[in-house]
Amino acid sequence: MLRSFLTFLAASVAAPVLAQTPAIPNAQSTDCLLRVNPAPSSWIIDGHDPFSGTVPEGTFGVTFINEGGAECRFTPRFELNLPPFGLSKGIGRPVEYALVNLTDTRDVTPRAGRSRAFASQSEMVLKPRESRSLLYKLVADPVHISGAGTFTQDVTLEAQDKQFRSLGGAPLVLGLNVLPSARIGLSGTYTMNKGQAFVNLGELKEGVAPLLLNLLVSSTGDYDILVSSANSGKLRMGSSQWSVPYSIAIGGTAVNLAGTRTVPGTSKSRKPGLIKDALPIEFIIGDVSNKRAGVYSDVISVTVTAR
């Protein structure tokens, strides 16, 4: 589970099945007998963070073995077991993907149900007892990722001759595993100072401080916001005992700063797809009467955790 952290300062002046051609009954040693051996048997792009800015991809291999006594001539092709095309977890829009044969530099994605046939594509030829391995790259389109979880599609990798007859094949699960992830940031009235966001509350007056500040949250799904105050909800003047009580509200939810508090985020059930929220932050100042003039401050830490 990935977490994102933010601290800011408030101050004031006072995230096989081995598919072999089922050993053809009574097959003779003079036949082409092809075994297709993917490694691994499931091609899953694992541990992708949709907010990392990277393209989810993985490289996988398959070995074709001629266990017969005759030459095998074929072309490897992928076929969908069940349309529509795309990686899915049963709900939402499927995640589109591409399959590339790295050995021959060809796009073999079964977008229309099967890999496209190229007129110029040469056949693979395996002599008796000969084997050959190919490398494939699976690339998922991050634009269509709608949340955390495992998105899959069942396909069959078949070795087909010129008449599109199968000489052997193996079932494959193509997939993408998306991590629960969340990111936070700020927008509005603040400045950066030594890696911290500095929020100037202006002259302290009892009530809501007049500033515009939003907590920006991007998440794969439901999330929680944890908030803590270094001074337990007090703006303190340096190391002195002079302080002004205050509280905050995030997205309209009041936060008691006496200890670490959790604020529930937007429910994904009400927002399909990745969540992108802008939650207003309000500072509510307490009693300021009979306080010594000076700069009062506190450090607030905010953490967001995707469920």
Side-chain angles (χ1 to χ4, degrees):
M1 182 175 294
L2 301 182
R3 296 183 175 182
S4 184
F5 301 89
L6 173 70
T7 60
F8 59 88
L9 179 69
S12 175
V13 176
V17 180
L18 293 180
Q20 58 193 51
T21 304
I24 308 170
N26 302 318
Q28 302 299 314
S29 61
T30 55
D31 294 334
C32 160
L33 187 59
L34 194 66
R35 179 158 60 94
V36 181
N37 187 17
S41 58
S42 293
W43 293 359
I44 307 292
I45 303 168
D46 200 26
H48 177 66
D49 177 1
F51 303 116
S52 65
T54 61
V55 175
E57 60 182 29
T59 301
F60 308 92
V62 60
T63 301
F64 298 88
I65 307 168
N66 183 0
E67 297 182 333
E71 182 180 81
C72 292
R73 289 179 171 269
F74 61 93
T75 300
R77 291 192 176 93
F78 292 86
E79 295 197 356
L80 300 185
N81 289 9
L82 186 66
F85 168 76
L87 307 175
S88 173
K89 60 176 182 178
I91 58 174
R93 179 176 178 179
V95 177
E96 295 185 6
Y97 63 90
L99 267 173
V100 179
N101 180 334
L102 295 177
T103 306
D104 296 334
T105 319
R106 289 188 182 275
D107 185 342
V108 292
T109 311
R111 295 183 181 88
R114 65 177 56 186
S115 301
R116 180 183 172 187
F118 295 90
S120 60
Q121 188 171 5
S122 59
E123 290 182 308
M124 286 183 63
V125 180
L126 291 183
K127 295 178 181 179
R129 308 302 174 183
E130 185 180 14
S131 66
R132 182 180 174 189
S133 295
L134 299 180
L135 284 178
Y136 290 90
K137 177 176 283 189
L138 173 63
V139 184
D141 186 349
V143 173
H144 299 128
I145 294 174
S146 59
T150 301
F151 301 76
T152 62
Q153 179 151 66
D154 295 334
V155 302
T156 299
L157 173 56
E158 285 196 345
Q160 298 179 351
D161 64 14
K162 286 186 176 181
Q163 285 72 45
F164 299 100
R165 294 175 301 191
S166 177
L167 301 182
L172 267 177
V173 178
L174 307 179
L176 169 66
N177 174 252
V178 180
L179 297 171
S181 180
R183 294 286 188 274
I184 53 176
L186 286 175
S187 69
T189 310
Y190 74 98
T191 57
M192 295 300 296
N193 182 18
K194 296 181 180 180
Q196 286 187 322
F198 181 84
V199 179
N200 190 339
L201 301 178
E203 181 180 351
L204 287 181
K205 294 181 180 180
E206 190 169 346
V208 179
L211 59 86
L212 178 64
L213 189 69
N214 289 308
L215 181 69
L216 306 179
V217 180
S218 299
S219 178
T220 54
D222 293 353
Y223 61 89
D224 293 314
I225 301 168
L226 275 66
V227 184
S228 64
S229 159
N231 296 329
S232 298
K234 294 179 180 179
L235 294 167
R236 189 177 300 280
M237 186 174 69
S239 59
S240 73
Q241 296 302 309
W242 290 95
S243 64
V244 173
Y246 79 104
S247 63
I248 67 172
I250 298 179
T253 301
V255 181
N256 184 340
L257 297 176
T260 300
R261 292 294 181 266
T262 300
V263 179
T266 301
S267 172
K268 186 173 174 62
S269 62
R270 293 186 282 112
K271 296 188 70 174
L274 297 179
I275 290 176
K276 294 185 181 295
D277 285 338
L279 306 175
I281 302 177
E282 293 181 311
F283 293 82
I284 302 93
I285 311 302
D287 185 12
V288 296
S289 61
N290 300 317
K291 302 298 181 182
R292 184 176 177 179
V295 176
Y296 290 75
S297 66
D298 188 18
V299 175
I300 299 174
S301 296
V302 180
T303 303
V304 63
T305 303
R307 297 178 197 164

